[in-house]
Structure formats: structure tokens, C-alpha cells
Amino acid sequence: MSSNTRHVPVMLQRCLDMLAPALAEPGAVVVDCTLGLGGHSEALLSTFPAARLVALDRDTSALRLAGERLAPFGERATLVHAVYDELPEVLDRLGLPRVQGVLFDLGVSSMQLDEADRGFAYAQDAPLDMRMDQTTGISAADVLNTYAPGELVRILRAYGEEKQAKRIVEVVVRERAKEPFTNSARLVELIRDALPQAAKRTGGNPAKRTFQALRIEVNGELASVERAIPAAVKSLSVGGRIAVLSYQSLEDRLVKQVLAAGATNTAPPGLPVVPEQYQPRLKLLTRGAELPTEEEIAENRRAAPARLRGAERIREDIA
């Protein structure tokens, strides 16, 4: 399937509108921290003809496909194989101390979900891999087969918000002793059998939360987000803007905390005038998180859980 036909970028117009005031000037640099198949990047380059794009992705297949898609833009697009929390190093290497726009589209890309052999999707049988960068790191099968039971329970609870974590882990530990896990179908079946009837009636596929938890653990996603959002805010010039799309509550909470902290004055209470160093660095561009429209969800069901938050840099940090 070609990269253009399979991928509808989530909340695209809203992201472009949010970043627009920062990207109109010639020489503006926008960073797409989650290139994926290049849908958002292509739209940024087309919409802001004076802007230059730097795009990051840890997935080598995504970089290859997006590279073909963005080839017509020539030197305006710089694609980098990196995890988004490596943003400061990437900008440093490119000699870009400050940028005018940053976009994050967190979560799994459409391509990773659609490529059966990557093991992200619980709807089809595939090797339990789930690495976004298949050149490095441990797979989901390694996590299931080698982690201590207590650690597995912690991961399912913390990253999957799975109430039945203990029950699922008991079954996993019993079954892995008989035969190590390699494929997703066996895991899905075991989870289905392990859960009480009431738990199966709510919230779609009963394996969904376990798969989310494994994916976050394998890719170190929350830790990356925790480092990446503050680093991205720091890289913005005054007047620069950041837009972040999250797809699950844990990520959205992290994004909310970083942006809210930047938009708060940090002065000790009772000062008659707030000195410059305590003034907010950011102005929030969204009230709470913005959600996709019903039309958009109808066109692209993967947009349904999306939450968009944005902020503008309004002053420099003062040491």
C-alpha cells in the first residue's frame, strides 16, 4: 500500500492553524518529532513555503517511505534517524539553537499498526516484536518471557491501566514456563480466557490494555515523552509554538503538566510585583485538550482517542 493512500494525518488542519503564526516568516524552522509516514510533514512544507523542516523518527522503514514522499521538497526537508527525546542533540548537530515550531504526534504510526509482522496490532497474529526501531532493543516477547512477575504486573497497571494485571500475569507466567511466547494470537487468547466476564464486556478488545503496556515498555515511550516535551519547549524561540497530539491518558497527562508548568508564574506568594524570572514562559493555546470532530473520526477511526494541546513561547528563560 502506498504511504499516501493508507494514512490520514490526525487533526491536520487544526495543527497547521495552531503553528501558522510562528511559521510565516522566511527561514522559520519547524520540527516534526514523529515523522511517521510524513503526512503532517508534507502538509507543513506545502502550507508554509518559506519554512524549513527537520523531521525525526526512530523507525528506519518510516524514514525510507517518508523520504520518498518528501523528496520533491529537496533541501527544505532534513530527515534524521533519532528518538524524539534526542531533539537537543539533533538541533545542536544541525547548528539550530532555536526553532519556531514543534509538532509531536505521539503513539504508534499507522504504518506500524498496518504492517502485520511488527506485532503491534492485537487483531492479527504476528511475532511479538513491537519495537519502533527494529535495529535495537528488546522485543515484547522478551519482556513477557523474562521479566519478573511483579515487574510485569507493575507495567500492565502503570502503562496499560489494566485492573486485571495480576490475573493476566499469573496466566502469562504459568504459560511461559511451558513454552516461551513468540506470537500475538496466543497472548490475546490467554488474556481473553483469563479475564472475568464483566471485564470483557467493556472497552473493546480485552487485550488492548496489555498490548499498550508492552508497547510503552519496549519503546520506553513515557520516559521519552517526559524528556522530550520540556526539551522541545526549551528549543522554541520567543513567538515559537508547540503542538502535541496524544492518544492515551498517561501521555496526555505528562504533556499537560509540562505546558501548564510553563504557563504558571513561579513567584513566591505575596510579592507586589512579579519579577521577570518568575513570569510564565508559555501561553497555552488550548483550553484543556482539543478533541477531533465527529467528521474526522468518521474519516479516520484512529483519530478517535486523540487529544491536542498547544502553547506559545512568550519569553526567554532567565537563569
Side-chain angles (χ1 to χ4, degrees):
M1 197 187 287
S2 89
S3 60
N4 292 340
T5 53
R6 81 169 124 194
H7 181 51
V8 182
V10 172
M11 294 180 82
L12 177 60
Q13 194 52 52
R14 190 63 196 98
C15 291
L16 295 172
D17 292 346
M18 193 177 275
L19 295 171
L23 299 181
E25 292 299 306
V29 177
V30 59
V31 184
D32 184 347
C33 288
T34 43
L35 172 64
L37 288 168
H40 284 111
S41 277
E42 183 178 45
L44 286 164
L45 287 161
S46 306
T47 309
F48 306 109
R52 175 183 166 194
L53 170 91
V54 175
L56 280 54
D57 209 294
R58 57 165 72 177
D59 188 327
T60 48
S61 322
L63 285 164
R64 192 186 70 251
L65 285 167
E68 292 167 15
R69 182 177 191 162
L70 302 180
F73 297 99
E75 294 194 342
R76 287 180 58 212
T78 305
L79 275 49
V80 185
H81 182 222
V83 184
Y84 41 66
D85 61 358
E86 297 173 281
L87 178 65
E89 294 80 7
V90 170
L91 294 179
D92 195 41
R93 271 204 317 271
L94 295 172
L96 294 167
R98 289 301 174 93
V99 299
Q100 286 63 53
V102 180
L103 173 68
F104 284 89
D105 183 8
L106 299 168
V108 191
S109 84
S110 292
M111 181 191 72
Q112 289 161 343
L113 286 170
D114 291 338
E115 307 286 314
D117 61 353
R118 303 292 289 270
F120 285 97
Y122 37 81
Q124 50 201 7
D125 190 22
L128 278 166
D129 189 326
M130 297 197 199
R131 289 172 301 163
M132 290 182 185
D133 179 352
Q134 290 190 297
T135 64
T136 183
I138 60 167
S139 70
D142 297 331
V143 172
L144 280 173
N145 293 328
T146 65
Y147 277 31
E151 188 61 2
L152 283 175
V153 171
R154 184 191 68 76
I155 289 164
L156 294 198
R157 281 191 184 143
Y159 300 160
E161 300 179 279
E162 174 56 81
K163 294 185 178 69
Q164 305 290 335
K166 218 165 171 186
R167 199 182 274 238
I168 291 169
V169 169
E170 279 168 11
V171 175
V172 164
V173 171
R174 189 181 70 229
E175 289 299 317
R176 76 185 186 186
K178 298 177 194 167
E179 190 191 337
F181 283 91
T182 55
N183 275 44
S184 56
R186 180 176 167 220
L187 178 60
V188 172
E189 200 177 320
L190 286 173
I191 292 169
R192 203 168 256 138
D193 293 345
L195 293 186
Q197 277 311 113
K200 286 187 237 192
R201 282 198 287 272
T202 55
N205 192 307
K208 185 169 125 184
R209 291 179 293 277
T210 298
F211 272 64
Q212 174 180 300
L214 288 170
R215 192 197 83 217
I216 289 173
E217 172 64 18
V218 164
N219 296 293
E221 283 173 54
L222 286 177
S224 295
V225 171
E226 230 167 328
R227 290 188 295 267
I229 306 296
V233 166
K234 220 179 173 112
S235 74
L236 288 174
S237 58
V238 172
R241 290 179 164 216
I242 180 171
V244 187
L245 282 162
S246 327
Y247 296 84
Q248 37 112 339
S249 56
L250 302 165
E251 278 173 349
D252 184 50
R253 205 174 305 147
L254 287 174
V255 175
K256 178 185 175 180
Q257 285 164 354
V258 173
L259 298 188
T264 307
N265 99 49
T266 53
L271 294 182
V273 176
V274 176
E276 178 80 5
Q277 72 261 36
Y278 298 127
Q279 299 273 6
R281 308 282 172 268
L282 298 177
K283 178 180 85 184
L284 298 181
L285 300 172
T286 44
R287 295 185 58 161
E290 287 189 14
L291 310 179
T293 61
E294 283 174 21
E295 295 78 34
E296 182 163 18
I297 294 169
E299 186 188 351
N300 177 12
R301 61 187 169 76
R302 287 183 187 155
R307 303 282 177 272
L308 175 64
R309 294 181 188 271
E312 180 182 344
R313 180 75 181 246
I314 53 173
R315 67 180 73 233
E316 287 292 352
D317 286 328
I318 293 173

